[in-house]
Amino acid sequence: MSCVSPQLLADLKPLLLGLEADLRELCRERPDVDEPLRSEWASAREANRTASAYEPWREELLTQVAVAWVLACVFVRFCEDNDLVEAPWLSGPGLRRQRALDQRQHYFQQHPTETDREYLYDVFEQMARLPGLGDLFDKRHNPLWRVGLSGDGATKLLAFWQRIDPATGQLAHDFSDPEWDTRFLGDLYQDLSESARKKYALLQTPTFVEEFILDRTLEPAIAEFGHREVRLIDPTCGSGHFLLGAFARLLRRWQLTHPAANPRDLVQKALDQVFGVDLNPFAVAIARFRLLLAALQASGIPRLRDAPAFQMNLA
């Protein structure tokens, strides 16, 4: 079971609203931020990719951007607290929180004119250089690179992860979990943004439903064609429950038939057989992160730096 506090989602919702307001204010006050968005909207209208007026179109985009900033930090925090990265950048339980504060101080000693926005961007760039994380923090596709938070907005986001619970004296949101349970990310995917939930009709698939469907689809296909020939695609993959379930089942087949093979090779074979697509960019990011952690766990790799460049079929 995940060690993530059940209070996380409740605390993130007002934070997200604050980030959206920060981005909205930047657009109002800075033409250099708003004008490229207006040009992008005009091009989308001309190409019939949207029928929305500019303001609602921009609101939807800013929600995507705000969620992307939050999710990027969640990915970093999970990696920090579970020792998937060597040194913390944002926060961490115990002494790791102070190490993160020291890391930030060192950054500003070298870059005294920059803000926490640049600091967070630097963290994300460092994460992107680790095996398997390049696509998660890709500047071409991740919305957080489209509109930056203000310096004050980034400071508030960073402070959220460093907050100490006065009732316990401990870090308010500790992601440490020896099982690397990532199902909580599905809760974030479903409930973090009310507007996104309504637009994409977000609803997590319960575990028993996932298992029931895989029992009656994937398993008969394996029985008929063999596990080597089977492929599974989830065209509305959401946060990846079916993909992870299928990956685990296919990997078990490879392990049973090739017990002496390199575990990493078998993991890649199973990854090659699952495909996921979703219109929601949050969903694809979460599914990718969850599959990566499942691949690391199955390969016995405790640190991202030691991981091979696992290939995943997600879009």
Side-chain angles (χ1 to χ4, degrees), residues 200-237:
Y200 295 106
L202 305 183
L203 185 64
Q204 275 213 89
T205 304
T207 301
F208 78 91
V209 174
E210 168 213 318
E211 293 176 349
F212 177 86
I213 292 176
L214 289 176
D215 284 345
R216 284 153 181 79
T217 54
L218 180 61
E219 294 297 341
I222 291 174
E224 181 172 354
F225 301 107
H227 70 277
R228 294 172 180 81
E229 304 302 322
V230 168
R231 303 291 184 272
L232 177 141
I233 183 168
D234 186 346
T236 54
C237 69

Side-chain angles (χ1 to χ4, degrees), residues 2-15:
S2 174
C3 294
V4 175
S5 166
Q7 189 64 32
L8 176 64
L9 180 60
D11 290 347
L12 279 175
K13 285 185 175 182
L15 174 69

Side-chain angles (χ1 to χ4, degrees), residues 223-293:
E224 181 172 354
F225 301 107
H227 70 277
R228 294 172 180 81
E229 304 302 322
V230 168
R231 303 291 184 272
L232 177 141
I233 183 168
D234 186 346
T236 54
C237 69
S239 56
H241 294 331
F242 282 107
L243 301 182
L244 266 76
F247 165 75
R249 292 177 185 227
L250 290 165
L251 179 59
R252 282 197 296 271
R253 297 307 202 289
W254 284 108
Q255 291 169 336
L256 288 171
T257 56
H258 295 74
N262 186 323
R264 300 183 185 193
D265 294 338
L266 299 185
V267 164
Q268 186 60 64
K269 287 181 181 296
L271 288 173
D272 289 341
Q273 295 175 274
V274 294
F275 297 76
V277 180
D278 205 288
L279 289 173
N280 187 340
F282 321 146
V284 175
I286 290 172
R288 186 179 299 278
F289 184 71
R290 297 184 69 201
L291 265 180
L292 173 62
L293 292 189

Side-chain angles (χ1 to χ4, degrees), residues 28-285:
R28 279 198 295 262
E29 292 185 350
R30 291 182 48 184
D32 62 311
V33 174
D34 191 60
E35 287 174 3
L37 299 182
R38 193 175 290 274
S39 296
E40 184 179 340
W41 165 78
S43 297
R45 286 271 291 194
E46 186 176 349
N48 294 319
R49 294 195 304 272
T50 183
S52 298
Y54 175 62
E55 292 295 333
W57 178 90
R58 189 185 68 183
E59 279 299 300
E60 181 181 328
L61 172 63
L62 295 184
T63 294
Q64 288 187 16
V65 172
V67 171
W69 277 92
V70 170
L71 284 181
C73 288
V74 170
F75 296 150
V76 175
R77 290 289 300 111
F78 192 94
C79 291
E80 289 175 329
D81 288 359
N82 291 287
D83 291 327
L84 285 155
V85 293
E86 285 79 3
W89 291 291
L90 305 187
S91 190
L95 294 177
R96 289 179 69 82
R97 179 178 180 274
Q98 185 58 52
R99 289 180 64 191
L101 295 174
D102 293 343
Q103 183 80 4
R104 176 176 174 269
Q105 182 180 13
H106 178 69
Y107 177 86
F108 285 118
Q109 287 172 347
Q110 295 182 316
H111 307 89
T113 63
E114 295 188 350
T115 71
D116 280 317
R117 175 184 58 230
E118 287 75 34
Y119 177 65
L120 287 175
Y121 273 145
D122 184 70
V123 170
F124 300 151
E125 287 176 344
Q126 292 188 63
M127 289 290 287
R129 290 194 285 270
L130 291 169
L133 293 183
D135 288 337
L136 270 181
F137 296 94
D138 181 11
K139 292 184 179 181
R140 295 171 301 170
H141 300 108
N142 192 314
L144 70 86
W145 301 101
R146 295 175 72 179
V147 187
L149 296 171
S150 70
D152 288 343
T155 298
K156 291 176 182 177
L157 176 58
L158 189 56
F160 176 88
W161 306 111
Q162 297 169 349
R163 184 170 65 86
I164 298 296
D165 184 345
T168 64
Q170 303 297 317
L171 193 67
H173 298 296
D174 182 350
F175 290 80
S176 304
D177 182 3
E179 302 298 323
W180 291 4
D181 183 359
T182 57
R183 192 172 178 87
F184 78 95
L185 289 168
D187 295 328
L188 296 187
Y189 157 73
Q190 176 178 300
D191 295 322
L192 182 57
S193 167
E194 181 68 16
S195 61
R197 185 176 66 83
K198 289 179 178 178
K199 176 179 179 179
Y200 295 106
L202 305 183
L203 185 64
Q204 275 213 89
T205 304
T207 301
F208 78 91
V209 174
E210 168 213 318
E211 293 176 349
F212 177 86
I213 292 176
L214 289 176
D215 284 345
R216 284 153 181 79
T217 54
L218 180 61
E219 294 297 341
I222 291 174
E224 181 172 354
F225 301 107
H227 70 277
R228 294 172 180 81
E229 304 302 322
V230 168
R231 303 291 184 272
L232 177 141
I233 183 168
D234 186 346
T236 54
C237 69
S239 56
H241 294 331
F242 282 107
L243 301 182
L244 266 76
F247 165 75
R249 292 177 185 227
L250 290 165
L251 179 59
R252 282 197 296 271
R253 297 307 202 289
W254 284 108
Q255 291 169 336
L256 288 171
T257 56
H258 295 74
N262 186 323
R264 300 183 185 193
D265 294 338
L266 299 185
V267 164
Q268 186 60 64
K269 287 181 181 296
L271 288 173
D272 289 341
Q273 295 175 274
V274 294
F275 297 76
V277 180
D278 205 288
L279 289 173
N280 187 340
F282 321 146
V284 175

